[in-house]
Amino acid sequence: MSYQNIITIESGKRSGKPCIRGMRITVYDILEYLAGGMTEAEILEDFSELTPEDIKACLAFVADREKKLFMASV
């Protein structure tokens, strides 16, 4: 999945943390909700402005970042 058009980073928004489509909802927020046991359906219900693609983009973004960190340490 391509996350580049969904995950945005703006220096003046949420201290430059990766956000979803310029909103104030961060990738970290979504990961924290998932790690805390919320389902995708529950997140989408609580945040009607989000789409299933937004959540998948968060996961793809983090997977790509993890891969880059691993490759940099090899």
Side-chain angles (χ1 to χ4, degrees), residues 14 17-18 25-34 58 62:
R14 295 294 303 264
K17 294 176 184 172
I25 303 169
T26 66
V27 170
Y28 179 83
D29 294 334
I30 298 303
L31 294 176
E32 196 168 57
Y33 298 141
L34 291 169
C58 289
V62 174

Side-chain angles (χ1 to χ4, degrees), residues 42-63:
E42 290 171 327
I43 295 170
L44 295 173
E45 186 177 317
D46 284 355
F47 300 93
S48 60
E49 63 272 33
L50 294 179
T51 67
E53 291 76 26
D54 293 332
I55 295 175
K56 288 176 182 61
C58 289
L59 297 173
F61 175 83
V62 174

Side-chain angles (χ1 to χ4, degrees), residues 2-30:
S2 177
Y3 61 82
Q4 286 80 6
N5 295 327
I6 297 175
I7 305 302
T8 59
I9 299 174
E10 301 173 43
S11 61
K13 189 171 287 174
R14 295 294 303 264
S15 302
K17 294 176 184 172
C19 293
I20 300 170
R21 292 185 286 115
M23 294 184 275
R24 299 190 59 78
I25 303 169
T26 66
V27 170
Y28 179 83
D29 294 334
I30 298 303

